Amino acid sequence: MLDQVCQRIEDLSQSGRVRADASLGLIESQNVAQRLKEAGLSVYNHNLETASSFFDQICTTHTHQDRINTIQHCKSAGLRVCSGGIFGMGETVEQRAELAIELQELDVDVVPLNFLVRIEGTPLKDNDPLSPMEILTTIAAFRFALPQKEIMVAGGREVNLRSLQPLGLYAANSLFVSDYLTTPGQPASEDHRMIEDLGFRVVRH
């Protein structure tokens, strides 16, 4: 499987048309990360999801340290790392700060901030939603903790920020555009118009 993935990355990299990024789950060996880098991978996405002190209340299939190890393998291989979390799962404000410090210490490059969308049939469907102002405060706090990093407002922004969504871009410097893994986003054309209405310039990668 790794050989097939590396071959696909090589094909994409050599085409010159796209940048090869990947999200392939846990990496348990430095050699795997090195092979991905040598194949031409640019960025590895692997969210910490939440703070170490809260992680085992959300995930039981692996540990928070497993995720940290994956990020460290990728950084050691010279890959850029995209890693952030999801908020509104029941974590405290202190645990959000803990996550920011963990990402700071890992020296990740891009920090996507996701906000829980309550979906019927899931364990967190009855969680109280975060208010728009609490979300904006969270985005600003991550900008303060990671001043030189790319802060990306990602999943759940449309549902949770509602009419205050544009204000998130005063602290963040990028958006995840269009659909997410489990929920739909707004059309990219609306995002582009929102960015331009704020006086910012749309940059397409």
Side-chain angles (χ1 to χ4, degrees):
M1 178 63 75
L2 179 59
D3 290 339
Q4 294 173 331
V5 169
C6 288
Q7 185 59 58
R8 181 58 176 157
I9 291 170
E10 287 178 7
D11 293 342
L12 289 171
S13 299
Q14 291 170 5
S15 73
R17 296 191 302 271
V18 296
R19 185 185 73 186
D21 297 358
S23 181
L24 304 170
L26 296 174
I27 292 179
E28 299 178 354
S29 164
Q30 181 65 50
N31 290 336
V32 172
Q34 195 63 47
R35 284 193 63 189
L36 292 171
K37 172 66 174 177
E38 291 169 357
L41 190 69
S42 296
V43 181
Y44 196 83
N45 174 262
H46 194 71
N47 287 338
L48 282 185
E49 305 298 7
T50 192
S52 176
S53 62
F54 188 64
F55 188 84
D56 62 1
Q57 297 182 50
I58 297 298
C59 178
T60 58
T61 60
H62 58 274
T63 68
H64 194 262
Q65 187 61 48
D66 290 332
R67 289 186 167 263
I68 288 175
N69 292 345
T70 295
I71 292 171
Q72 290 175 332
H73 288 324
C74 290
K75 293 292 291 186
S76 295
L79 290 165
R80 297 182 76 238
V81 172
C82 175
S83 182
I86 181 168
F87 306 94
M89 297 191 293
E91 76 286 344
T92 66
V93 171
E94 290 78 13
Q95 285 167 329
R96 293 174 202 161
E98 180 185 341
L99 175 60
I101 292 169
E102 289 169 349
L103 293 168
Q104 181 188 72
E105 291 174 344
L106 288 167
D107 193 30
V108 301
D109 302 283
V110 182
V111 183
L113 306 180
N114 301 277
F115 304 94
L116 180 70
V117 175
R118 296 177 299 167
I119 298 175
E120 194 65 34
T122 63
L124 303 181
K125 67 180 179 62
D126 295 323
N127 277 34
D128 292 331
L130 300 180
S131 71
M133 289 306 298
E134 188 171 4
I135 290 172
L136 291 175
T137 300
T138 299
I139 297 170
F142 271 72
R143 166 55 67 213
F144 181 80
L146 300 150
Q148 304 302 320
K149 304 302 182 180
E150 180 179 342
I151 304 295
M152 175 188 293
V153 185
R157 61 182 168 88
E158 299 93 341
V159 173
N160 291 287
L161 279 171
R162 301 190 292 279
S163 63
L164 297 188
Q165 188 183 170
L167 296 182
L169 280 173
Y170 283 102
N173 48 359
S174 67
L175 294 174
F176 193 107
V177 175
S178 195
D179 295 341
Y180 309 103
L181 291 175
T182 58
T183 58
Q186 65 189 25
S189 59
E190 292 186 23
D191 286 329
H192 294 164
R193 184 168 60 248
M194 177 178 67
I195 293 167
E196 291 166 347
D197 286 347
L198 287 166
F200 299 136
R201 182 167 55 93
V202 175
V203 177
R204 296 172 176 85
H205 292 292

